[in-house]
Amino acid sequence: MQKVKFNFGLMIAALGAINVFVSCTDHVIAPVEYTVMSSADESIVPDAWREKYREDAVRLALRQINAAGGPASDEVELPVDLVRTFYDALIQVYNATMIPARDSVVSIYPIHTFPSPELHRLIVVVDSTKPWVQAWRRGERLTGNPQIDQLLETFGLQLDYYYPGPGSPMAILRSTRPLNLSALAERFTGIDGVNYAGPDGVVGAGNDIKASFYGSDWQLDYSLGWGDCPAGCTARHFWRFHIYSDGRVKYAGSRGTPLSYR
């Protein structure tokens, strides 16, 4: 997977130009009342894979929430049940060792979600003349500004970096747990001395997992991207799985650029 980090000096302009690959247009957005998967047996899943799938599950949940809109998109913390059902779906595919295509997305090409939206790093562009900003400039986490410090404490944010310039000075804040950073950014907006707040991110595209809901089951589309991925990946191959609420997994075939072209 190829990815290109933002040039922070060009960050404001680049935010409007992020090109994230979107697969199939026939997906159905999950309704508010979604089907919860039966708990998956994760005993054979290595710890490192569990951690990656937890991150994938949060990102899939956030994508669904953002696509559906509504009050849930304004919440910083992600719904535990929705995250869990995505995690269980991913684990069910991992456990589906009797399906040969499972090896393609797990072993041969270990596929996870492309890191968009960002879940951990928040950019806060600040007015460097404000007294509270000087604490960040010195590398100190807490600023003395009650509104800023309450957000840092409530959501466990750490100061990763402070960029004094040139141009707009900014702090990069990091959360150890995945969060809805767009909703969190709204809580920074309007605080005196904050000129802009928004998630960090990547441009381009790469391997990914897309999710959609079909009445009684979740559909997961795993995709392998290659070629010119900074421009969105000029080649892509898909594998589709249906995961039912009772934990059954059905392979629904593959499509896209032949793997022989890779």
Side-chain angles (χ1 to χ4, degrees):
M1 176 184 74
Q2 302 181 48
K3 58 184 179 181
V4 181
K5 292 299 293 180
F6 275 127
N7 178 326
F8 291 109
L10 301 176
M11 178 272 300
I12 299 298
L15 282 172
I18 296 176
N19 178 18
V20 177
F21 176 86
V22 178
S23 68
C24 318
T25 58
D26 61 342
H27 285 192
V28 177
I29 301 303
V32 175
E33 296 82 11
Y34 51 85
T35 298
V36 176
M37 294 288 158
S38 60
S39 295
D41 179 7
E42 58 182 12
S43 61
I44 67 170
V45 183
D47 289 344
W49 278 85
R50 294 183 198 180
E51 188 60 31
K52 289 179 179 179
Y53 282 142
R54 289 187 188 102
E55 191 92 347
D56 292 334
V58 172
R59 185 168 285 112
L60 291 172
L62 182 53
R63 289 176 182 176
Q64 290 290 327
I65 287 169
N66 288 342
S73 62
D74 297 325
E75 297 297 325
V76 177
E77 303 284 358
L78 279 297
V80 174
D81 286 347
L82 182 57
V83 172
R84 181 70 200 191
T85 204
F86 277 124
Y87 177 75
D88 285 339
L90 292 162
I91 296 298
Q92 299 288 19
V93 173
Y94 183 97
N95 288 342
T97 55
M98 299 302 291
I99 299 176
R102 170 267 185 201
D103 292 343
S104 295
V105 302
V106 171
S107 304
I108 302 173
Y109 311 106
I111 295 175
H112 294 280
T113 53
F114 185 72
S116 178
E118 169 64 33
L119 301 175
H120 296 280
R121 287 164 55 92
L122 184 74
I123 297 170
V124 182
V125 179
V126 296
D127 179 350
S128 61
T129 67
K130 299 298 180 180
W132 65 266
V133 175
Q134 303 314 308
W136 280 354
R137 189 184 185 96
R138 294 190 297 268
E140 300 169 9
R141 173 175 174 258
L142 298 180
T143 66
N145 180 314
Q147 292 173 287
I148 295 289
D149 292 350
Q150 183 177 10
L151 288 170
L152 295 177
E153 296 285 25
T154 299
F155 297 108
L157 302 176
Q158 302 297 321
L159 176 64
D160 235 8
Y161 303 104
Y162 178 81
Y163 296 87
S168 300
M170 62 184 73
I172 310 299
L173 304 179
R174 175 180 289 276
S175 168
T176 56
R177 68 184 189 276
L179 299 171
N180 180 353
L181 294 181
S182 293
L184 179 56
E186 289 296 320
R187 287 156 172 75
F188 280 88
T189 302
I191 297 176
D192 187 37
V194 174
N195 294 336
Y196 168 85
D200 191 4
V202 295
V203 294
N207 300 345
D208 202 5
I209 304 172
K210 302 284 186 180
S212 51
F213 186 70
Y214 283 95
S216 62
D217 65 290
W218 285 99
Q219 175 180 292
L220 295 181
D221 285 299
Y222 293 72
S223 70
L224 180 72
W226 70 93
D228 187 357
C229 282
C233 291
T234 51
R236 188 169 292 276
H237 191 87
F238 298 86
W239 295 264
R240 176 169 291 180
F241 297 85
H242 289 274
I243 303 91
Y244 298 91
S245 58
D246 61 4
R248 289 179 298 117
V249 176
K250 176 184 177 182
Y251 176 55
S254 67
R255 61 183 180 83
T257 310
L259 293 171
S260 58
Y261 291 5
R262 190 166 183 265

